[in-house]
Amino acid sequence: EERGYRSASGAPITLRRRQHSASCRELTVRCPRLQLRSLSAVTSAVWLAAYGLFVLSENSMVLSAAIFITLVGLIVYLHFVKIDQESLLVIGSLGIQVTSSYASGKESTTFIEMGQVKDVVINEAIYMQKVIYYLCILLQDPGDPQGVSEVVPLFQSSKPRLDCLIEVYKSCQEILEQRKTTPQSS
Amino acid sequence: MVLKVFFPSCCSWADSGIVVGRWVPEQSSAVVLAVLHFPFIPAQVRQYLSQVQRVTGVSVAVLGSWSNSREEKEERLSEFLEDLGTIFSHEPWIQISKEGDSKFWSCSTLQTHSKNPKKEEIILVYYDQRKVMLSHLHPPLDAAACPEHRAGAASKLSAIFDTVGKSKILFMTDRYDDGPIKMTHWQSDGVEASIIVELMKQASVPACMLLSCLLWLISGLCQSRVLKVWPLSFLWSKLSTCEQLGHRLQHLQAISSSTKAQNHTQLMRKANIFVSLLIDVALGILLMSWLYRKNRIGHLADTLIPVADHVAEELQDLLQWLMGAPAGLKMNRALDQVLGRFFLYHIHLWISYIHLLSPFIEMILWYVGLSACLGLTVALCILSDIIALLTFHIYCFYVYGARLYCLKICGLASLWRLFRGKKWNVLRQRVDSCSYDLDQLFIGTLLFTILLFLLPTTALYYLVFTLLRLLVVVVQGLIHLLVDLIDSLPLYSIILRLCRSYRLA
C-alpha cells in the first residue's frame, strides 16, 4: 500500500510497502520530482548570463556554448545526481538489498548479507542547523561480537521524517526478529 | 530456517528431469547446478556424480525433481517424481514444477524423516549461471585478522559462488551428447569458446619461451663487465632512458616467465603490464609515423640551433643585467665583473660546441627517433634527456653558484663564532668557547667583514641560477610524471571494470 509523507526539507514523498511473503518485504520511498520552475530558473539564469557575455564580447560561440553546457549539465544531473526512488528489500535469512534508481533509469544496488547485519536502528544527527532522524543498518564487527564495524545510512537523498521512518523500522524489525526466534541449525 | 533454493535461469525452459546440485546444510540452502533428463539409469547417475565429486571436491548430489509440463498436469508424472525421492534418498527432497506457460512456479519439499513436519517457507533465488560462473569472489586480504575469526566471518554467500565456480567439469557434458547422462545447464546453448582465445592460448607457450630466451641473452649482455667500467656506469645511471629501458626489460621478464600466476593479484599484475606495454608500443609507433612524415625531423633539427642560440643570448642579457645594477641593488663592482665574465665565457664555449655539432644534429635525431618504436615512454625519456643535455650550462652555473654560496656561508658561520669567541669542537660535535690570540682575532674580523659585504652579490647570483635550474627541473619532472603514469596505470583492470564488471567481484 502507498502513503504520503513529508521529507526533512518539507517536500512531499511517498512510501510504498509490499509484502511478498512472511519473511520478505519491500519498502520503496519515492523522492520529490524535479520541479519545472527550478529547472526553468536555472536554464534562464545560464542563458541570460550567456546573452550578457555575448553582448559584451560580440562572439556568437558563447551562445552555442551555453546551450551545449545546459544540455550536458542536465544529462549529467539526471544520470548521476537526481535520485528518483530508493528501495529497501529485506529477505529474512538471506540479506538486505538497497537500491537507488536515478532519474535517467540507472540503478545502483548494494546487497548486505544477513550474517553481517547486526541491527537496523533510527539515529539522530545534527545537520547544519537542524536535528534530523535517519535510518541506518549496523554491520557486525567480525572480531568483536558486541562491536559495530560500519554504519550504512539509508534513504539519504529522500530524507524522510520520523513518522515515515518509524513505519519502515517496524517492518524491518518484524523480519529481523524472526532470525532470532528460529534456531540457527535446521 | 527458511529453505533457500538457487535455481539457474537457463534451466527454466528445460524439460522435466531430476535436479542435480549441492546442498549446504549450515545455511539450509540448495544450489542447483543442472537438470538431468529422462531416461537415465540411477546407478550410472550415482557413478557419474561420485566421479565429479572426486575431481572437483564439491559434494554434488541429486537434490530433487523438476517438472515442466506443457500440457495439463499429469497425475502419473507427479507420482513417478515422488517415487524418485525414494530411489535417490536426499533430505529434503525438493520438487519444483512449472505448468504450461504460467508465470508461477510451485516449489515444495518432501520430508520423510523429519520429527516435526511443519510447513516450511521456501525462497527461490533465480541466478544467471554464466555470470556467477565467471565471477570470482575474493575475500578481503586482511593479514592482521587472526585465522579463526577469518574463517567465521567469511561471507556465507561465497560458498554459493564457489560451488558454481568449482563445478566446471560438470558443465562439459550436455543434453546433446550421446552418453548416458543428458543435462541442461548454461552451456546447453552451445559450449562457449572463442577461436581467437584458444589460438592465442596455444600460441602463447612457444612465444613465451622464445621471448624469455631473447631476454636472457639481452640481460646477459647488459650485465657484462665492459659496460660496468666506472665512467660508463656513471653515465648509465644518470640517463633516464637507460633506467626506463631496464624497467621495461624487467616487465617483459615478468610476463614471459613460464610459471602460471599463483593468485589473482599476480594474474592482474601480469595482465596490466601486458596491456600497458601494448598501448605504449602502439602509441610509440603512432608518434613515429607522425614524426617521419613530411620531414618533420628536418624541421625540428633546423629549429633546434636557433632555439639554443636564443637561450644563450637571453642568458647573456641576464648576466649583463646582473653585472650592472640589478633591481636597483648596488653590487660589489669587482666581484660582479669577475663572476659575470666567467659565466659569459662559459656560455661562449657552449655556443661554439653547439655550432660544431650542428651538421650532425639531423642525423642524430633521425636515428634516435627510431627508438620511439620501443614505446612512448622511451621517446619521452629521450626527450627529457635531450633537454637535460641542452641545458647543461644552466646546470653548471647552478653548481658554481651553489658551491660559492655554500663556501661563503660556511666561512661566515665559523668567523661569526670567532667573532664571539667560540669554536666548533669536531670531537664533541658542539660549540665550545676558545681563547684566541690577538692576531688571530684581527685577521678573523677582517675576513668576516669582507665576506659579509660580498654576501649580497653571491647571494643574488645563487638565487638567479637556482631559479633557472628549478625551471628546467620542473619541466623534466613533468615529463617523468607522464612516463610514470603510463607505466603504472592499470589499464586492464579499468577496461575490465567498464566492460565485464562481474569478473571483478
Side-chain angles (χ1 to χ4, degrees):
Chain A
E1 68 270 11
E2 199 157 330
R3 285 181 62 179
Y5 291 93
R6 286 208 165 264
S7 81
S9 51
I13 56 172
T14 53
L15 169 72
R16 195 173 62 172
R17 278 192 297 195
R18 283 178 70 174
Q19 173 145 341
H20 296 284
S21 83
S23 66
C24 176
R25 291 231 180 121
E26 186 176 0
L27 301 140
T28 312
V29 172
R30 191 176 297 252
C31 302
R33 305 288 263 243
L34 181 64
Q35 301 272 7
L36 188 62
R37 48 164 192 241
S38 62
L39 179 67
S40 38
V42 170
T43 314
S44 23
V46 171
W47 284 357
L48 273 174
Y51 189 69
L53 270 177
F54 168 67
V55 163
L56 281 175
S57 68
E58 307 286 330
N59 188 4
S60 64
M61 276 291 287
V62 173
L63 293 177
S64 29
I67 293 177
F68 184 66
I69 288 174
T70 319
L71 278 175
V72 167
L74 186 66
I75 290 176
V76 164
Y77 178 69
L78 287 180
H79 194 69
F80 292 108
V81 176
K82 180 85 185 84
I83 293 186
D84 199 23
Q85 63 185 32
E86 293 167 312
S87 75
L88 192 69
L89 177 69
V90 185
I91 306 179
S93 84
L94 198 59
I96 302 183
Q97 173 165 296
V98 182
T99 314
S100 325
S101 52
Y102 292 82
S104 65
K106 171 174 112 163
E107 279 190 10
S108 85
T109 54
T110 315
F111 179 73
I112 304 171
E113 274 188 82
M114 213 31 125
Q116 285 180 351
V117 171
K118 188 159 185 285
D119 205 358
V120 173
V121 294
I122 298 184
N123 262 349
E124 297 174 319
I126 300 180
Y127 178 72
M128 307 268 236
Q129 81 286 9
K130 311 192 270 228
V131 175
I132 58 169
Y133 297 93
Y134 64 97
L135 193 73
C136 58
I137 305 179
L138 301 175
L139 295 186
Q140 189 101 27
D141 188 8
D144 178 17
Q146 303 295 325
V148 172
S149 75
E150 207 182 316
V151 171
V152 179
L154 303 171
F155 303 126
Q156 282 192 294
S157 67
S158 48
K159 295 198 198 63
R161 287 198 180 160
L162 192 60
D163 43 5
C164 178
L165 286 179
I166 289 179
E167 296 294 331
V168 178
Y169 175 77
K170 278 193 212 158
S171 303
C172 287
Q173 287 295 341
E174 278 167 20
I175 298 185
L176 287 179
E177 268 165 9
Q178 287 174 6
R179 64 172 179 166
K180 290 190 188 70
T181 51
T182 52
Q184 275 301 96
S185 53
S186 56
Chain B
M1 254 172 91
V2 180
L3 183 74
K4 298 180 275 281
V5 178
F6 292 86
F7 196 76
S9 51
C10 47
C11 292
S12 56
W13 51 266
D15 290 333
S16 315
I18 54 171
V19 150
V20 160
R22 179 179 169 207
W23 168 250
V24 184
E26 308 89 50
Q27 301 170 42
S28 180
S29 53
V31 184
V32 172
L33 291 169
V35 174
L36 223 114
H37 299 294
F38 310 117
F40 56 83
I41 304 173
Q44 278 185 337
V45 171
R46 280 207 198 100
Q47 194 186 36
Y48 179 71
L49 288 180
S50 63
Q51 242 177 18
V52 169
Q53 189 164 342
R54 235 193 350 257
V55 172
T56 61
V58 175
S59 56
V60 192
V62 177
L63 296 174
S65 69
W66 155 255
S67 81
N68 183 5
S69 51
R70 296 197 176 89
E71 303 88 33
E72 66 277 2
K73 197 164 176 185
E74 294 174 357
E75 289 294 324
R76 283 186 307 136
L77 191 64
S78 54
E79 271 180 30
F80 175 58
L81 290 172
E82 275 185 25
D83 288 337
L84 278 176
T86 51
I87 307 176
F88 299 101
S89 56
H90 186 266
E91 177 79 15
W93 181 255
I94 302 170
Q95 289 169 312
I96 316 174
S97 64
K98 181 174 139 185
E99 274 140 51
D101 288 323
S102 89
K103 273 196 293 189
F104 297 103
W105 298 12
S106 80
C107 187
S108 60
T109 57
L110 211 62
Q111 302 216 3
T112 46
H113 303 297
S114 68
K115 294 175 198 71
N116 43 344
K118 55 178 169 28
K119 197 81 177 101
E120 237 180 26
E121 208 180 317
I122 305 177
I123 293 182
L124 192 71
V125 176
Y126 221 37
Y127 74 98
D128 184 343
Q129 202 166 38
R130 176 172 168 270
K131 290 203 173 150
V132 172
M133 167 84 202
L134 290 175
S135 65
H136 303 278
L137 202 62
H138 305 290
L141 294 163
D142 195 357
C146 27
E148 58 265 19
H149 281 298
R150 204 191 307 164
S155 158
K156 303 223 174 70
L157 283 182
S158 64
I160 313 287
F161 280 87
D162 281 342
T163 309
V164 183
K166 284 191 201 150
S167 320
K168 242 182 161 138
I169 192 168
L170 193 71
F171 301 131
M172 295 292 175
T173 53
D174 203 343
R175 65 193 287 219
Y176 302 111
D177 287 340
D178 277 332
I181 312 280
K182 292 187 172 33
M183 291 202 286
T184 301
H185 43 72
W186 67 287
Q187 300 268 42
S188 300
D189 287 334
V191 177
E192 211 180 80
S194 152
I195 281 268
I196 300 178
V197 171
E198 292 297 315
L199 277 175
M200 276 178 58
K201 277 195 197 156
Q202 297 293 329
S204 67
V205 171
C208 268
M209 285 188 49
L210 194 69
L211 199 63
S212 50
C213 278
L214 217 70
L215 286 172
W216 182 79
L217 272 171
I218 294 180
S219 57
L221 218 73
C222 291
Q223 306 280 358
S224 71
R225 296 288 301 237
V226 169
L227 293 174
K228 289 238 185 260
V229 176
W230 181 80
L232 282 178
S233 69
F234 180 70
L235 199 66
W236 301 147
S237 68
K238 285 287 167 206
L239 284 177
S240 59
T241 316
C242 300
E243 213 179 285
Q244 175 67 16
L245 281 173
H247 204 57
R248 278 298 190 213
L249 207 71
Q250 260 179 356
H251 281 175
L252 276 174
Q253 273 175 341
I255 297 183
S256 66
S257 71
S258 46
T259 56
K260 237 171 122 62
Q262 252 74 28
N263 55 6
H264 191 68
T265 43
Q266 272 186 10
L267 181 70
M268 293 303 276
R269 196 169 291 154
K270 268 189 163 183
N272 281 332
I273 292 177
F274 184 64
V275 172
S276 115
L277 262 174
L278 224 65
I279 300 266
D280 200 12
V281 171
L283 282 175
I285 293 184
L286 212 71
L287 179 73
M288 219 173 70
S289 75
W290 177 81
L291 263 181
Y292 282 86
R293 214 175 288 182
K294 293 195 207 158
N295 198 17
R296 287 223 173 83
I297 295 266
H299 291 316
L300 207 69
D302 284 340
T303 53
L304 209 63
I305 303 293
V307 162
D309 273 341
H310 180 73
V311 167
E313 265 178 38
E314 292 288 319
L315 271 177
Q316 276 172 341
D317 285 342
L318 184 72
L319 283 168
Q320 295 288 358
W321 180 68
L322 280 176
M323 273 164 50
L329 298 167
K330 188 154 188 289
M331 305 265 97
N332 181 301
R333 172 74 34 149
L335 184 62
D336 223 356
Q337 298 281 333
V338 161
L339 285 175
R341 292 233 180 89
F342 177 61
F343 289 137
L344 276 173
Y345 181 62
H346 226 93
I347 294 181
H348 173 78
L349 275 178
W350 183 253
I351 287 296
S352 5
Y353 285 144
I354 296 269
H355 280 269
L356 214 68
L357 270 181
S358 61
F360 306 114
I361 292 266
E362 185 170 343
M363 204 166 64
I364 294 177
L365 269 183
W366 204 89
Y367 284 116
V368 157
L370 277 181
S371 66
C373 70
L374 288 172
L376 186 67
T377 47
V378 177
L380 283 173
C381 280
I382 289 181
L383 180 71
S384 139
D385 283 337
I386 288 180
I387 291 181
L389 283 175
L390 281 181
T391 54
F392 190 63
H393 48 329
I394 296 183
Y395 175 62
C396 282
F397 290 171
Y398 163 71
V399 167
Y400 297 151
R403 277 263 182 261
L404 221 59
Y405 185 71
C406 190
L407 274 172
K408 183 166 285 224
I409 293 287
C410 283
L412 269 177
S414 131
L415 288 172
W416 171 247
R417 276 183 234 122
L418 178 126
F419 207 59
R420 287 160 43 220
K422 300 219 189 289
K423 194 169 100 148
W424 175 252
N425 190 341
V426 185
L427 271 167
R428 297 288 181 113
Q429 297 285 319
R430 63 166 187 211
V431 178
D432 275 342
S433 61
C434 170
S435 59
Y436 290 101
D437 294 336
L438 194 63
D439 47 357
Q440 279 176 333
L441 275 177
F442 188 57
I443 297 191
T445 314
L446 266 178
L447 282 174
F448 177 74
T449 327
I450 293 174
L451 282 180
L452 185 68
F453 289 132
L454 287 179
L455 184 64
T457 316
T458 339
L460 194 72
Y461 273 90
Y462 174 64
L463 190 71
V464 166
F465 291 131
T466 309
L467 285 175
L468 277 175
R469 171 90 186 127
L470 209 66
L471 193 70
V472 171
V473 164
V474 160
V475 168
Q476 272 194 305
L478 283 173
I479 296 181
H480 283 182
L481 199 71
L482 196 62
V483 167
D484 280 339
L485 195 76
I486 298 180
D487 261 344
S488 56
L489 200 64
L491 278 171
Y492 179 69
S493 307
I494 293 177
I495 294 175
L496 210 62
R497 171 77 179 93
L498 289 174
C499 299
R500 295 203 197 298
S501 49
Y502 54 82
R503 266 188 167 269
L504 281 176

